[in-house]
Amino acid sequence: MKPMNNITEKSGGGLWQETWKRLKRDRAAMFGLVIIGILITVGVLAPLFAPYNPFKVTLEKRLLGPSLEHWLGTDHFGRDILSRIIYGARISLEVGIIASSISLLLGMLFGTVAGYYGGWIDNVIMRFTDIMFGFPALLFLIGIMAAFEPNLTTVFFAIGFVSWPRMARIMRGQVLSVKENDYVMANVALGQKDGPLILRHIIPNCLAPVIVAFTMGIASAIMAEASLSFLGLGAQPPTPSWGSMVNFGKDYLRSAPWLTMFPGIAIGLTVLGFNLFGDGLRDALDPTMELPTRAE
Amino acid sequence: MILPVAFSVLVPKFILSFFFPKPIEQMLTYIVKRTLLFIPVVWGVITLTFILMFVVPGDPVLSMVGERYDEATVEQLREDLHLDEPMYMQYGRFFWNLMHGDLGHSYITNRPVLDTILDKFPKTMLLAGAAMVVSIILGLSVGIVSSLKPYSWFDKGSMVIALGGISAPVFWVGLMLVLIFGIQLRWFPSSGYGGLAFLVLPAITLGTRSSAFLARVTRATMLEVKSKDFMRTAKAKGLPKWVIIVKHQFVNTLIPVITIIGVDFGSYLSGAVLTESIFGWPGIGRLALDSILKRDFPMIQGTVLVTALVFITVNFLVDLLYGVIDPRIKYE
């Protein structure tokens, strides 16, 4: 039997259209979206926006204050800070999206399995997430980074690995409620196999809160990378990661505070953008939905 | 997995039912059940910490002896540290020693890990406690005042600042405070450990994020409670305004507020690493970081483990506290 798609299509917009309508009216969320938009544009087209080469060392121009020539000044190697921040946007975006995707995939996989099958497998997975929650996030990350070579690839995986339990819990809760629906029962009765049933009917109906968590997850991943790089355990020089820029800038706090100030503002604005958008998305999707309200 | 959980609920319930009236029995059952769930998590945290250090690539012995070494010394050292044993033996030894309060010796200083941690931990607790005070005073007062006149200028302004406080990186806030109050105004020392003056900037740094968050949650919950029926009743009874606000509105915001304060304890422990490294505060966060940079594995293991144990214990206590604050909470 062919599903009658045309009926749902005509009856006044699905969940996502409704959400977008509500989201458009939320000024804070739109402000967040604008920040994210600017970040993506600047990050992707970094070579077009950056006035200077972010890696070029010019020692005679070191530690210059903000001026018309160098809007945000230069660092201790005479590199243009604005250019480095623009290139740094790429790194933050990469970390945010890759680490958050890893956490999304792992979380959805384990959350779905736990919620759908229940029983001992659910118990094992959930007790494991309990244990993972037992570690303060940054300390756990530091421990992992200590065990492996500190570089950006390790950072992606470490953050993804530390943050999936949150995602798994949300997913599990969703699956538990979705699987009670009649359409799932109907599919089971029709002899639908688990795999297709989960992929076609369960997961699509669990996505709303997961997407909100994903947005918030990007913010916390960016913050985590910045913290690790600040401690010297993340991106290594000369990578223009915002966190490591603050780290190297702090030695010149007295004489050249702009080294520290501007990359920090970039981190804050980016995190703010994702948080505002995530908040708005949550309210627009379902005002009564219970969800984590911030990035760790 | 199911059996022990089932037992953990049923057996204590059965035993306790002989001694206590129903409400207290329910509460005690909850406490026992929660305690029994707490134990496997403790075990898991211990085991995961062990595994984390076991999978570390590279030989810790080689990093101890440095560039020039002879095979005999390395073998001897490996034997002394029991690193030649199979994994399960090492795990058993690790667990056994741990139960006896022995976390091993530092590879660098050869001092017992536990001694060093016991030395540093109170300093971190002092910092975290001060941060908590900052966060409660600032967060609660701003949140309450904002909620009394929603959408006023004070409310709008403080909520924008709170958003900024949530999004700004801890380490950056710390450095900016040093820049303004330490370097420019010279009000407080910019780093070090000592009297009360040394505590001010680190405590504000560590408390900023959670006061911002607390302010938002307090405001939101206060407004939510405001629309409840009992608030209208209280007003109708002609109670003075402050009695309504304190006894009816504020008291009912306590559950989410205490949750936040408890959950934030973890972020204090995480934030302590950043804050302590900025301010040169000799606590456990900086100890963890230092030992990682020196690849001092027993010390890393010890700090991660102790911090995690403190963290889950606090969460456990917060869970128990709910029952005291709100007797309506069902323990089932």
Side-chain angles (χ1 to χ4, degrees):
Chain A
M1 195 170 65
K2 221 179 151 229
M4 292 183 284
N5 284 334
N6 50 343
I7 292 177
T8 47
E9 270 169 20
K10 274 181 187 165
S11 59
L15 172 71
W16 296 110
Q17 261 170 300
E18 283 294 312
T19 306
W20 174 241
K21 253 190 225 161
R22 260 172 284 176
L23 201 58
K24 268 196 297 193
R25 269 180 263 137
D26 186 343
R27 271 191 297 171
M30 284 299 109
F31 181 64
L33 193 62
V34 168
I35 295 179
I36 298 172
I38 293 173
L39 185 80
I40 294 176
T41 316
V42 165
V44 172
L45 301 174
L48 290 182
F49 283 99
Y52 296 89
N53 179 344
F55 300 103
K56 192 165 180 285
V57 174
T58 323
L59 286 177
E60 57 269 26
K61 279 183 158 185
R62 65 198 297 269
L63 300 177
L64 293 179
S67 64
L68 278 179
E69 205 182 335
H70 295 279
W71 289 3
L72 305 182
T74 61
D75 70 4
H76 52 301
F77 286 124
R79 296 174 297 197
D80 181 52
I81 290 179
L82 178 62
S83 307
R84 285 179 71 74
I85 289 183
I86 288 173
Y87 272 84
R90 276 188 173 180
I91 296 169
S92 287
L93 268 180
E94 267 173 33
V95 169
I97 291 168
I98 297 177
S100 223
S101 302
I102 294 173
S103 131
L104 180 76
L105 284 179
L106 286 175
M108 274 176 59
L109 177 70
F110 287 113
T112 311
V113 169
Y116 186 74
Y117 292 104
W120 66 269
I121 193 159
D122 178 25
N123 237 315
V124 169
I125 292 174
M126 283 305 111
R127 291 299 81 74
F128 188 70
T129 62
D130 283 347
I131 295 166
M132 296 278 290
F133 277 118
F135 294 92
L138 185 62
L139 202 77
F140 201 2
L141 276 177
I142 290 175
I144 296 177
M145 295 311 291
F148 300 97
E149 201 65 25
N151 58 47
L152 275 178
T153 320
T154 322
V155 171
F156 296 152
F157 284 101
I159 296 175
F161 178 70
V162 169
S163 50
W164 72 262
R166 185 177 300 279
M167 204 64 108
R169 278 194 181 177
I170 295 169
M171 192 66 192
R172 173 179 176 271
Q174 284 292 304
V175 173
L176 279 180
S177 70
V178 167
K179 86 173 175 183
E180 297 302 324
N181 284 327
D182 289 344
Y183 58 82
V184 175
M185 297 293 173
N187 272 287
V188 174
L190 284 170
Q192 177 83 280
K193 287 208 179 69
D194 284 356
L197 174 64
I198 291 173
L199 286 179
R200 228 175 276 159
H201 297 282
I202 295 193
I203 290 186
N205 287 299
C206 296
L207 281 183
V210 171
I211 287 171
V212 176
F214 179 75
T215 316
M216 302 280 196
I218 294 178
S220 41
I222 290 173
M223 190 69 101
E225 184 273 332
S227 306
L228 284 176
S229 296
F230 172 74
L231 293 171
L233 294 168
Q236 298 301 312
T239 318
S241 149
W242 293 339
S244 66
M245 287 171 76
V246 176
N247 182 25
F248 289 103
K250 75 175 190 294
D251 299 336
Y252 302 92
L253 194 60
R254 196 174 293 267
S255 56
W258 53 89
L259 262 67
T260 321
M261 212 183 295
F262 296 123
I265 293 174
I267 301 168
L269 275 179
T270 306
V271 171
L272 180 71
F274 281 102
N275 276 341
L276 284 178
F277 184 68
D279 264 341
L281 197 58
R282 183 193 49 230
D283 295 344
L285 273 169
D286 180 0
T288 56
M289 202 155 72
E290 289 267 338
L291 268 184
T293 35
R294 67 164 162 181
E296 259 308 302
Chain B
M1 262 306 187
I2 302 166
L3 211 61
V5 174
F7 267 105
S8 70
V9 182
L10 293 177
V11 173
K13 203 174 162 61
F14 178 72
I15 298 171
L16 291 169
S17 64
F18 284 101
F19 301 102
F20 298 103
K22 187 109 177 136
I24 296 178
E25 178 216 316
Q26 272 185 351
M27 191 166 151
L28 287 175
T29 314
Y30 171 77
I31 292 174
V32 173
K33 183 185 151 194
R34 189 67 186 73
T35 313
L36 288 175
L37 283 175
F38 174 68
I39 293 166
V41 173
V42 171
W43 167 80
V45 164
I46 293 170
T47 308
L48 204 58
T49 316
F50 173 79
I51 292 172
L52 193 63
M53 290 304 122
F54 200 85
V55 296
V56 171
D59 193 332
V61 176
L62 291 188
S63 62
M64 277 171 81
V65 290
E67 293 279 303
R68 300 169 52 146
Y69 59 89
D70 62 293
E71 279 305 315
T73 328
V74 170
E75 281 310 310
Q76 186 59 44
L77 211 54
R78 195 165 281 155
E79 217 182 300
D80 290 347
L81 296 169
H82 306 287
L83 290 172
D84 51 348
E85 290 173 351
M87 185 173 176
Y88 70 91
M89 294 261 290
Q90 287 195 42
Y91 177 65
R93 188 181 302 280
F94 173 69
F95 210 89
W96 180 256
N97 287 341
L98 187 68
M99 292 300 118
H100 291 82
D102 178 7
L103 283 167
H105 289 69
S106 159
Y107 284 172
I108 310 288
T109 60
N110 208 27
R111 209 179 148 205
V113 168
L114 193 65
D115 287 4
T116 314
I117 290 177
L118 287 179
D119 181 37
K120 305 274 184 186
F121 210 80
K123 288 165 187 156
T124 298
M125 286 297 110
L126 176 67
L127 182 56
M132 201 178 249
V133 171
V134 168
S135 133
I136 290 172
I137 293 176
L138 208 64
L140 278 187
S141 54
V142 170
I144 291 171
V145 174
S146 280
S147 76
L148 295 182
K149 280 205 178 123
Y151 306 107
S152 63
W153 281 108
F154 178 84
D155 178 36
K156 280 183 186 162
S158 52
M159 285 306 116
V160 167
I161 294 172
L163 259 177
I166 290 174
S167 305
V170 174
F171 54 89
W172 185 77
V173 171
L175 289 171
M176 290 301 111
L177 288 175
V178 168
L179 181 63
I180 297 167
F181 298 103
I183 295 174
Q184 304 284 346
L185 300 172
R186 295 168 183 279
W187 286 359
F188 302 104
S190 22
S191 82
Y193 177 78
L196 199 61
F198 286 91
L199 190 58
V200 177
L201 294 184
I204 296 175
T205 304
L206 195 52
T208 299
R209 231 170 109 77
S210 93
S211 38
F213 194 63
L214 201 56
R216 273 165 63 97
V217 172
T218 309
R219 174 186 178 273
T221 324
M222 286 283 282
L223 289 179
E224 204 187 304
V225 173
K226 203 175 180 178
S227 62
K228 291 273 163 69
D229 287 343
F230 61 78
M231 286 293 288
R232 195 163 6 112
T233 311
K235 224 178 266 170
K237 282 197 298 189
L239 289 179
K241 205 178 169 199
W242 68 269
V243 176
I244 302 180
I245 291 170
V246 175
K247 276 187 75 178
H248 295 264
Q249 200 176 0
F250 177 65
V251 165
N252 280 294
T253 63
L254 277 181
I255 287 276
V257 163
I258 287 185
T259 312
I260 300 300
I261 295 171
V263 167
D264 268 343
F265 196 77
S267 75
Y268 290 146
L269 292 173
S270 278
V273 182
L274 296 164
T275 312
E276 290 176 1
S277 87
I278 293 169
F279 291 95
W281 192 266
I284 200 148
R286 225 181 109 202
L287 177 69
L289 192 64
D290 282 348
S291 44
I292 280 162
L293 297 177
K294 289 179 194 147
R295 307 191 79 74
D296 186 353
F297 291 109
M299 196 62 98
I300 302 173
Q301 209 168 32
T303 46
V304 171
L305 187 59
V306 171
T307 316
L309 290 180
V310 170
F311 180 43
I312 53 180
T313 311
V314 169
N315 285 348
F316 171 63
L317 293 177
V318 170
D319 266 10
L320 294 188
L321 245 183
Y322 288 156
V324 180
I325 299 164
D326 190 348
R328 289 169 307 179
I329 287 184
K330 284 269 181 284
Y331 298 110
E332 297 304 313

